[in-house]
Coordinates of all heavy atoms in Angstrom, one line a residue:
M1082 N -35.9 78.1 -32.6 CA -36.2 79.0 -31.3 C -35.0 79.9 -31.3 O -33.9 79.4 -31.1 CB -36.3 78.0 -30.2 CG -36.5 78.8 -28.8 SD -38.1 79.4 -28.5 CE -39.1 78.0 -28.1
K1083 N -35.3 81.3 -31.1 CA -34.2 82.2 -30.8 C -33.6 82.2 -29.6 O -34.3 81.7 -28.6 CB -34.8 83.6 -31.1 CG -35.1 84.0 -32.6 CD -35.5 85.4 -32.7 CE -34.2 86.3 -32.5 NZ -34.5 87.7 -33.0
K1084 N -32.4 82.4 -29.5 CA -31.7 82.3 -28.2 C -31.1 83.8 -27.8 O -30.7 84.4 -28.7 CB -30.4 81.3 -28.3 CG -31.1 79.9 -28.5 CD -30.2 78.9 -27.9 CE -30.6 77.5 -28.3 NZ -31.6 77.0 -27.5
Y1085 N -30.9 83.9 -26.5 CA -30.5 85.2 -26.1 C -29.4 84.9 -24.9 O -29.5 83.9 -24.2 CB -31.6 86.0 -25.5 CG -32.7 86.4 -26.4 CD1 -33.7 85.4 -26.8 CD2 -32.7 87.5 -27.2 CE1 -34.6 85.6 -27.8 CE2 -33.6 87.8 -28.1 CZ -34.6 86.9 -28.5 OH -35.5 87.1 -29.5
K1086 N -28.5 85.8 -25.1 CA -27.4 85.7 -24.0 C -27.6 86.8 -22.9 O -27.7 87.9 -23.2 CB -26.1 85.9 -24.6 CG -24.8 85.6 -23.7 CD -23.5 86.0 -24.3 CE -23.1 85.1 -25.4 NZ -21.8 85.5 -25.9
V1087 N -27.6 86.2 -21.6 CA -27.8 87.2 -20.5 C -26.4 87.4 -20.0 O -25.6 86.4 -19.7 CB -28.6 86.6 -19.4 CG1 -28.8 87.7 -18.2 CG2 -30.1 86.2 -20.0
I1088 N -25.8 88.6 -19.7 CA -24.6 88.9 -19.3 C -24.7 89.7 -18.0 O -25.4 90.8 -17.9 CB -23.8 89.9 -20.4 CG1 -23.8 89.1 -21.7 CG2 -22.4 90.2 -19.8 CD1 -23.5 89.8 -22.9
Y1089 N -24.2 89.2 -16.9 CA -24.3 89.7 -15.6 C -23.0 90.2 -15.0 O -22.2 89.3 -14.9 CB -25.0 88.7 -14.8 CG -25.1 89.1 -13.3 CD1 -25.4 90.4 -12.9 CD2 -24.9 88.1 -12.4 CE1 -25.5 90.7 -11.6 CE2 -24.9 88.4 -11.0 CZ -25.2 89.7 -10.6 OH -25.3 90.1 -9.2
E1090 N -22.8 91.4 -14.8 CA -21.5 92.0 -14.1 C -21.7 92.0 -12.7 O -22.0 93.0 -12.0 CB -21.3 93.4 -14.6 CG -21.1 93.4 -16.3 CD -21.2 94.8 -17.0 OE1 -21.7 95.6 -16.2 OE2 -21.0 94.9 -18.1
R1091 N -21.5 90.8 -12.1 CA -21.7 90.7 -10.6 C -21.0 91.6 -9.8 O -21.5 92.0 -8.8 CB -21.6 89.2 -10.3 CG -22.0 89.0 -8.9 CD -21.9 87.4 -8.6 NE -22.8 87.1 -7.5 CZ -22.4 87.2 -6.1 NH1 -21.1 87.4 -5.9 NH2 -23.2 87.0 -5.1
K1092 N -19.7 91.9 -10.2 CA -18.9 92.7 -9.2 C -19.5 94.1 -8.9 O -19.2 94.7 -7.9 CB -17.5 92.8 -9.8 CG -17.3 93.6 -11.1 CD -15.8 93.7 -11.4 CE -15.5 94.5 -12.6 NZ -16.4 94.6 -13.8
N1093 N -20.3 94.6 -10.0 CA -20.9 95.9 -9.7 C -22.3 95.9 -9.2 O -23.1 96.9 -9.1 CB -20.9 96.6 -11.1 CG -19.5 96.9 -11.5 OD1 -18.6 97.2 -10.8 ND2 -19.3 96.9 -12.9
C1094 N -22.8 94.7 -8.8 CA -24.1 94.5 -8.3 C -24.2 95.3 -6.9 O -23.2 95.1 -6.1 CB -24.6 93.1 -8.1 SG -25.9 92.8 -7.1
I1095 N -25.2 95.9 -6.5 CA -25.3 96.6 -5.2 C -26.4 96.0 -4.4 O -26.7 96.5 -3.3 CB -25.6 98.2 -5.4 CG1 -27.0 98.4 -6.2 CG2 -24.5 98.8 -6.1 CD1 -27.5 99.8 -6.1
G1096 N -26.9 94.9 -4.9 CA -27.9 94.1 -4.1 C -29.1 94.7 -3.8 O -29.9 94.5 -2.8
A1097 N -29.6 95.5 -4.8 CA -30.9 96.2 -4.7 C -32.2 95.2 -4.8 O -33.2 95.5 -4.5 CB -31.1 97.1 -5.7
A1098 N -31.8 94.0 -5.4 CA -32.8 92.8 -5.5 C -34.0 93.1 -6.3 O -35.0 92.3 -6.2 CB -33.2 92.4 -4.1
T1099 N -34.1 94.1 -7.1 CA -35.3 94.3 -7.9 C -35.2 93.3 -9.0 O -36.4 92.9 -9.5 CB -35.2 95.8 -8.6 OG1 -34.0 96.1 -9.1 CG2 -35.6 96.8 -7.6
C1100 N -34.1 92.7 -9.4 CA -34.1 91.7 -10.4 C -34.7 90.4 -9.8 O -35.5 89.8 -10.5 CB -32.6 91.3 -10.7 SG -31.5 90.9 -9.3
V1101 N -34.6 90.2 -8.5 CA -35.2 89.0 -7.8 C -36.7 89.3 -7.8 O -37.5 88.3 -8.1 CB -34.6 88.9 -6.4 CG1 -35.3 87.6 -5.8 CG2 -33.1 88.8 -6.4
A1102 N -37.1 90.5 -7.5 CA -38.6 90.8 -7.6 C -39.2 90.6 -8.9 O -40.4 90.1 -9.1 CB -38.9 92.2 -7.0
A1103 N -38.4 91.0 -9.9 CA -39.0 90.8 -11.3 C -38.9 89.4 -11.9 O -39.8 89.0 -12.6 CB -38.1 91.8 -12.2
N1104 N -37.9 88.6 -11.4 CA -37.8 87.2 -12.0 C -37.0 86.2 -11.0 O -35.9 86.1 -11.1 CB -37.0 87.3 -13.3 CG -36.8 86.1 -14.0 OD1 -37.2 85.0 -13.5 ND2 -36.1 86.1 -15.1
D1105 N -37.8 85.8 -10.0 CA -37.2 85.0 -9.0 C -37.0 83.5 -9.5 O -36.4 82.7 -8.8 CB -37.9 85.0 -7.7 CG -39.3 84.4 -7.6 OD1 -39.7 84.0 -8.8 OD2 -39.9 84.4 -6.7
D1106 N -37.4 83.2 -10.7 CA -37.0 81.9 -11.3 C -35.5 82.0 -11.6 O -34.9 80.9 -11.6 CB -37.8 81.8 -12.8 CG -39.2 81.7 -12.6 OD1 -39.7 81.3 -11.4 OD2 -39.9 81.9 -13.5
R1107 N -35.0 83.0 -11.9 CA -33.6 83.1 -12.3 C -32.7 83.9 -11.5 O -31.4 83.8 -11.7 CB -33.5 83.7 -13.7 CG -33.9 82.8 -14.9 CD -33.0 81.6 -14.9 NE -33.3 80.8 -16.1 CZ -32.7 79.7 -16.5 NH1 -31.8 79.2 -15.7 NH2 -33.0 79.0 -17.5
W1108 N -33.1 84.6 -10.6 CA -32.4 85.6 -9.7 C -32.6 85.2 -8.3 O -33.8 85.1 -7.8 CB -32.6 87.0 -10.0 CG -32.3 87.4 -11.4 CD1 -33.1 87.3 -12.5 CD2 -30.9 87.7 -11.8 NE1 -32.3 87.8 -13.6 CE2 -31.1 88.1 -13.2 CE3 -29.8 88.0 -11.2 CZ2 -30.0 88.5 -14.1 CZ3 -28.6 88.4 -11.9 CH2 -28.8 88.7 -13.3
R1109 N -31.7 85.3 -7.5 CA -31.8 85.2 -6.0 C -30.6 86.0 -5.4 O -29.5 86.1 -5.8 CB -31.9 83.8 -5.4 CG -30.6 83.0 -5.6 CD -30.6 81.7 -5.0 NE -29.4 80.9 -5.3 CZ -29.1 79.8 -4.8 NH1 -29.9 79.3 -3.8 NH2 -27.9 79.2 -4.9
L1110 N -30.7 86.5 -4.1 CA -29.7 87.1 -3.4 C -28.9 86.0 -2.6 O -29.5 85.2 -2.0 CB -30.2 88.1 -2.4 CG -30.5 89.7 -2.9 CD1 -30.7 90.4 -1.6 CD2 -29.4 90.1 -3.8
L1111 N -27.6 86.2 -2.7 CA -26.8 85.3 -1.8 C -26.3 86.1 -0.6 O -26.5 87.3 -0.4 CB -25.5 84.9 -2.7 CG -25.9 84.1 -3.9 CD1 -24.5 83.5 -4.6 CD2 -26.7 82.9 -3.7
D1112 N -25.6 85.3 0.3 CA -25.2 85.8 1.6 C -24.3 87.0 1.6 O -24.2 87.8 2.5 CB -24.6 84.7 2.5 CG -25.5 83.6 3.0 OD1 -26.8 84.0 2.8 OD2 -25.2 82.5 3.3
D1113 N -23.5 87.2 0.4 CA -22.8 88.3 0.3 C -23.4 89.6 -0.2 O -22.8 90.6 -0.3 CB -21.5 88.1 -0.6 CG -22.0 87.8 -2.1 OD1 -23.2 87.8 -2.4 OD2 -21.0 87.6 -3.0
G1114 N -24.8 89.4 -0.2 CA -25.6 90.7 -0.5 C -25.7 91.0 -1.9 O -26.3 91.9 -2.3
K1115 N -25.1 90.1 -2.8 CA -25.2 90.3 -4.2 C -26.1 89.2 -4.9 O -26.4 88.1 -4.4 CB -23.9 90.2 -5.0 CG -22.9 91.4 -4.5 CD -21.7 91.4 -5.2 CE -20.9 92.5 -4.7 NZ -20.1 93.3 -5.8
A1116 N -26.6 89.6 -6.1 CA -27.5 88.6 -6.7 C -26.7 87.5 -7.5 O -25.6 87.7 -7.8 CB -28.4 89.3 -7.7
E1117 N -27.5 86.4 -7.5 CA -27.0 85.3 -8.3 C -27.8 85.0 -9.5 O -29.1 85.0 -9.3 CB -26.9 84.0 -7.4 CG -26.5 82.8 -8.3 CD -26.7 81.5 -7.6 OE1 -27.8 81.2 -7.1 OE2 -25.8 80.6 -7.7
L1118 N -27.3 84.9 -10.7 CA -28.0 84.5 -11.8 C -27.9 82.9 -11.9 O -26.9 82.4 -12.2 CB -27.4 85.1 -13.2 CG -28.1 84.7 -14.5 CD1 -29.5 85.0 -14.6 CD2 -27.3 85.4 -15.7
K1119 N -29.0 82.3 -11.7 CA -29.0 80.9 -11.4 C -28.6 80.2 -12.7 O -29.0 80.5 -13.8 CB -30.4 80.4 -11.0 CG -30.9 80.9 -9.6 CD -32.3 80.3 -9.4 CE -33.0 81.1 -8.2 NZ -34.4 80.7 -8.0
D1120 N -27.8 79.1 -12.5 CA -27.4 78.3 -13.7 C -26.4 79.0 -14.7 O -26.2 78.4 -15.7 CB -28.7 77.8 -14.6 CG -29.5 76.9 -13.7 OD1 -29.0 76.1 -12.8 OD2 -30.7 77.0 -13.8
S1121 N -26.0 80.2 -14.3 CA -25.1 80.9 -15.3 C -23.6 80.3 -15.0 O -23.3 79.6 -14.2 CB -25.0 82.5 -14.9 OG -24.6 82.7 -13.7
V1122 N -22.8 80.6 -16.0 CA -21.4 80.2 -16.1 C -20.5 81.5 -15.9 O -20.7 82.5 -16.6 CB -21.1 79.6 -17.5 CG1 -19.7 79.1 -17.6 CG2 -22.0 78.3 -17.6
K1123 N -19.4 81.3 -15.2 CA -18.5 82.4 -15.0 C -17.6 82.6 -16.3 O -17.0 81.5 -16.7 CB -17.7 82.4 -13.8 CG -17.0 83.5 -13.4 CD -16.5 83.4 -12.0 CE -15.9 84.8 -11.5 NZ -15.2 85.6 -12.3
K1124 N -17.6 83.7 -16.9 CA -16.7 83.9 -18.1 C -15.8 85.3 -17.6 O -16.4 86.4 -17.6 CB -17.4 84.3 -19.2 CG -18.3 83.2 -19.6 CD -17.6 82.4 -20.8 CE -18.5 81.1 -21.1 NZ -18.9 80.9 -22.5
D1125 N -14.5 85.1 -17.4 CA -13.7 86.2 -17.0 C -14.4 87.0 -15.9 O -14.6 86.5 -14.9 CB -13.4 87.2 -18.2 CG -12.8 86.5 -19.3 OD1 -11.9 85.5 -19.1 OD2 -13.2 86.7 -20.5
A1126 N -14.8 88.3 -16.1 CA -15.3 89.1 -15.1 C -16.7 89.1 -14.9 O -17.3 89.8 -14.0 CB -14.8 90.5 -15.2
H1127 N -17.4 88.3 -15.8 CA -18.8 88.3 -15.7 C -19.4 87.0 -15.7 O -18.6 85.9 -15.9 CB -19.5 89.2 -16.8 CG -19.2 88.7 -18.3 ND1 -18.0 89.0 -19.0 CD2 -19.9 87.8 -19.0 CE1 -18.1 88.3 -20.0 NE2 -19.1 87.6 -20.1
F1128 N -20.8 86.9 -15.6 CA -21.5 85.6 -15.7 C -22.3 85.7 -16.9 O -22.9 86.6 -17.3 CB -22.4 85.4 -14.5 CG -21.6 85.1 -13.2 CD1 -21.0 86.0 -12.5 CD2 -21.3 83.7 -12.8 CE1 -20.2 85.9 -11.4 CE2 -20.5 83.5 -11.6 CZ -20.0 84.5 -10.9
E1129 N -22.5 84.5 -17.6 CA -23.4 84.4 -18.7 C -24.4 83.3 -18.6 O -24.1 82.2 -18.0 CB -22.5 84.0 -20.0 CG -21.7 85.3 -20.5 CD -20.9 84.9 -21.8 OE1 -21.2 83.9 -22.4 OE2 -20.1 85.8 -22.2
L1130 N -25.5 83.4 -19.3 CA -26.5 82.3 -19.3 C -27.3 82.5 -20.7 O -27.6 83.6 -21.1 CB -27.5 82.6 -18.1 CG -28.8 81.7 -18.2 CD1 -28.3 80.2 -17.7 CD2 -29.9 82.2 -17.3
I1131 N -27.5 81.5 -21.3 CA -28.2 81.4 -22.6 C -29.7 81.1 -22.3 O -30.0 80.1 -21.6 CB -27.7 80.4 -23.5 CG1 -26.2 80.5 -23.8 CG2 -28.4 80.4 -24.9 CD1 -25.7 81.8 -24.3
I1132 N -30.6 81.8 -22.8 CA -32.1 81.6 -22.6 C -32.7 81.5 -23.9 O -32.2 82.0 -24.8 CB -32.6 82.6 -21.7 CG1 -32.5 84.0 -22.3 CG2 -32.1 82.6 -20.2 CD1 -33.4 85.1 -21.6
E1133 N -33.9 81.0 -23.8 CA -34.8 80.9 -25.0 C -35.8 82.0 -25.0 O -36.0 82.7 -24.0 CB -35.4 79.5 -25.2 CG -34.4 78.4 -25.3 CD -35.0 77.1 -25.7 OE1 -36.1 76.9 -25.5 OE2 -34.2 76.2 -26.3
E1134 N -36.5 82.2 -26.1 CA -37.4 83.4 -26.2 C -38.6 83.3 -25.1 O -39.1 84.3 -24.7 CB -38.1 83.4 -27.6 CG -38.6 84.7 -28.0 CD -38.6 84.8 -29.6 OE1 -38.5 83.8 -30.3 OE2 -38.7 86.0 -30.0
T1135 N -39.0 82.1 -24.7 CA -40.0 82.0 -23.7 C -39.6 82.7 -22.5 O -40.5 83.1 -21.7 CB -40.3 80.4 -23.4 OG1 -38.9 79.9 -23.1 CG2 -40.9 79.8 -24.5
E1136 N -38.4 82.8 -22.1 CA -37.9 83.5 -20.9 C -37.5 84.9 -21.1 O -37.2 85.6 -20.0 CB -36.6 82.8 -20.4 CG -36.9 81.6 -19.6 CD -35.6 81.2 -18.8 OE1 -35.1 82.1 -17.9 OE2 -35.0 80.2 -19.1
L1137 N -37.5 85.4 -22.3 CA -37.1 86.7 -22.6 C -37.7 87.9 -21.9 O -37.1 88.7 -21.2 CB -37.1 86.9 -24.2 CG -36.5 88.3 -24.5 CD1 -35.1 88.5 -24.1 CD2 -36.7 88.6 -26.0
E1138 N -39.0 87.8 -21.9 CA -39.8 88.9 -21.3 C -39.5 89.2 -19.8 O -39.2 90.3 -19.4 CB -41.3 88.8 -21.5 CG -42.1 90.0 -21.4 CD -43.5 89.9 -21.8 OE1 -43.9 89.2 -22.8 OE2 -44.3 90.3 -21.0
K1139 N -39.5 88.1 -19.0 CA -39.2 88.2 -17.6 C -37.8 88.6 -17.4 O -37.5 89.3 -16.4 CB -39.5 86.8 -16.9 CG -40.9 86.7 -16.5 CD -41.1 85.5 -15.5 CE -41.1 85.8 -14.1 NZ -41.4 84.7 -13.3
M1140 N -36.9 88.1 -18.2 CA -35.4 88.5 -18.0 C -35.3 90.0 -18.4 O -34.5 90.7 -17.8 CB -34.6 87.6 -18.9 CG -33.1 87.6 -18.6 SD -32.8 87.2 -16.9 CE -32.6 85.3 -16.9
M1141 N -36.1 90.4 -19.4 CA -35.9 91.8 -19.8 C -36.4 92.7 -18.7 O -35.9 93.6 -18.4 CB -36.9 92.2 -21.0 CG -36.2 91.6 -22.3 SD -34.8 92.5 -22.9 CE -35.7 93.9 -23.8
D1142 N -37.4 92.3 -17.9 CA -38.0 92.9 -16.8 C -36.9 93.1 -15.8 O -36.7 94.2 -15.2 CB -39.2 92.3 -16.2 CG -40.5 92.4 -17.1 OD1 -40.5 93.3 -18.0 OD2 -41.4 91.6 -16.9
A1143 N -36.3 92.0 -15.4 CA -35.2 92.0 -14.5 C -34.0 92.9 -14.8 O -33.5 93.8 -14.0 CB -34.7 90.6 -14.3
A1144 N -33.6 92.9 -16.2 CA -32.6 93.7 -16.6 C -32.9 95.2 -16.5 O -32.1 96.0 -16.1 CB -32.2 93.3 -18.0
R1145 N -34.1 95.5 -17.0 CA -34.5 96.9 -17.0 C -34.7 97.4 -15.6 O -34.5 98.6 -15.3 CB -35.8 97.0 -17.7 CG -35.7 96.9 -19.2 CD -36.9 97.5 -19.9 NE -37.1 97.1 -21.3 CZ -37.9 96.2 -21.7 NH1 -38.6 95.6 -20.9 NH2 -38.0 95.9 -23.0
S1146 N -35.0 96.5 -14.6 CA -35.2 97.0 -13.2 C -34.0 97.3 -12.5 O -34.0 97.9 -11.5 CB -36.0 96.0 -12.5 OG -35.2 94.9 -12.1
C1147 N -32.8 96.9 -13.0 CA -31.6 96.9 -12.2 C -31.2 98.3 -12.2 O -30.9 99.0 -13.2 CB -30.5 96.1 -12.8 SG -28.9 96.2 -12.0
P1148 N -30.9 99.0 -11.0 CA -30.6 100.4 -10.9 C -29.2 100.8 -11.4 O -29.0 102.0 -11.7 CB -30.9 100.8 -9.4 CG -30.7 99.4 -8.7 CD -31.2 98.4 -9.6
V1149 N -28.4 99.9 -11.4 CA -26.9 100.1 -11.8 C -26.7 99.4 -13.1 O -25.4 99.3 -13.5 CB -26.0 99.6 -10.7 CG1 -26.0 100.6 -9.6 CG2 -26.2 98.2 -10.2
N1150 N -27.7 98.8 -13.9 CA -27.5 98.4 -15.3 C -26.3 97.3 -15.4 O -25.5 97.4 -16.2 CB -27.3 99.5 -16.3 CG -28.4 100.5 -16.2 OD1 -29.5 100.1 -16.3 ND2 -28.1 101.8 -16.0
V1151 N -26.2 96.3 -14.5 CA -25.3 95.4 -14.6 C -25.8 94.0 -15.2 O -25.1 93.1 -15.3 CB -24.6 95.1 -13.2 CG1 -24.0 96.3 -12.7 CG2 -25.7 94.5 -12.2
I1152 N -27.1 94.0 -15.7 CA -27.6 93.0 -16.5 C -27.9 93.4 -17.9 O -28.6 94.3 -18.1 CB -29.0 92.5 -15.8 CG1 -28.9 92.2 -14.3 CG2 -29.5 91.3 -16.5 CD1 -30.2 92.1 -13.6
H1153 N -27.3 92.5 -18.8 CA -27.4 92.9 -20.2 C -28.0 91.6 -20.9 O -27.8 90.5 -20.5 CB -26.1 93.2 -20.8 CG -25.5 94.4 -20.0 ND1 -25.9 95.7 -20.3 CD2 -24.5 94.4 -19.2 CE1 -25.2 96.5 -19.5 NE2 -24.4 95.8 -18.8
I1154 N -28.7 91.9 -22.0 CA -29.2 90.8 -22.9 C -28.9 91.0 -24.3 O -29.2 92.2 -24.8 CB -30.8 90.7 -22.7 CG1 -31.2 90.5 -21.2 CG2 -31.3 89.5 -23.5 CD1 -32.5 90.4 -20.8
E1155 N -28.4 90.0 -24.9 CA -27.9 90.1 -26.3 C -28.8 89.2 -27.2 O -29.0 88.0 -26.7 CB -26.5 89.8 -26.6 CG -25.6 90.8 -26.5 CD -24.1 90.5 -26.6 OE1 -23.9 89.4 -27.3 OE2 -23.3 91.2 -26.1
D1156 N -29.2 89.5 -28.4 CA -29.9 88.7 -29.3 C -28.7 87.9 -29.9 O -27.8 88.4 -30.6 CB -30.6 89.6 -30.3 CG -31.3 88.7 -31.5 OD1 -30.7 87.6 -31.8 OD2 -32.4 89.0 -31.9
M1157 N -28.6 86.5 -29.8 CA -27.5 85.8 -30.3 C -27.5 85.7 -31.8 O -26.4 85.4 -32.5 CB -27.5 84.5 -29.7 CG -27.2 84.5 -28.2 SD -27.0 83.0 -27.3 CE -25.4 82.4 -28.0
E1158 N -28.6 85.9 -32.5 CA -28.7 85.9 -34.0 C -28.0 87.1 -34.7 O -27.3 87.0 -35.5 CB -30.1 85.7 -34.4 CG -30.4 85.1 -35.7 CD -31.9 84.8 -35.8 OE1 -32.6 85.8 -36.4 OE2 -32.3 83.7 -35.5
T1159 N -28.4 88.2 -34.0 CA -27.9 89.5 -34.7 C -26.8 90.1 -33.8 O -26.1 91.0 -34.3 CB -29.2 90.5 -34.5 OG1 -29.4 90.9 -33.2 CG2 -30.4 90.0 -35.3
G1160 N -26.5 89.6 -32.6 CA -25.4 90.2 -31.8 C -25.9 91.6 -31.2 O -25.1 92.2 -30.5
K1161 N -27.1 91.9 -31.4 CA -27.7 93.3 -31.0 C -27.9 93.2 -29.5 O -28.5 92.2 -28.9 CB -28.9 93.7 -31.6 CG -29.4 95.0 -31.4 CD -30.5 95.4 -32.3 CE -31.1 96.8 -31.8 NZ -32.5 96.7 -31.6
R1162 N -27.5 94.2 -28.7 CA -27.8 94.3 -27.3 C -29.1 94.9 -27.1 O -29.3 96.0 -27.4 CB -26.7 95.1 -26.6 CG -26.7 94.9 -25.1 CD -25.4 95.4 -24.5 NE -24.3 94.3 -24.3 CZ -23.4 94.3 -23.5 NH1 -23.2 95.3 -22.5 NH2 -22.6 93.3 -23.3
L1163 N -30.0 94.2 -26.4 CA -31.4 94.7 -26.0 C -31.4 95.6 -24.8 O -32.3 96.4 -24.7 CB -32.3 93.5 -26.0 CG -32.2 92.5 -27.1 CD1 -33.2 91.4 -26.9 CD2 -32.7 93.2 -28.4
V1164 N -30.6 95.2 -23.8 CA -30.5 95.9 -22.7 C -29.1 96.2 -22.3 O -28.2 95.2 -22.3 CB -31.1 95.3 -21.4 CG1 -31.3 96.1 -20.3 CG2 -32.5 94.7 -21.8
Ligands
SF4_2689 S1 -31.2 94.5 -9.6 FE1 -29.0 94.9 -10.2 S2 -28.0 95.7 -8.4 FE2 -30.0 94.9 -7.7 S3 -29.4 92.7 -7.0 FE3 -30.1 92.5 -9.2 S4 -28.2 92.8 -10.3 FE4 -27.7 93.5 -8.4

């Protein structure tokens, strides 16, 4: 099963919540007005979460919907950034 890394630059989130609308399994808004990527791990200045291919499409929808492009997805096999 292929794996993908979701990279979320939370400090630049503006709380538009389109990620939540696209994928509320993985995204929710917190009290500070910014989104949380559920189950992610903090790495330096960003958050990371590894997902499997079954989740990719919905996560791609969330990433593409973000107006400030703070959600990125990488193919862990090739290292290629998809969003
Ligand atoms: S869509 Fe982007 S800016 Fe809006 S809440 Fe989600 S991560 Fe933040």
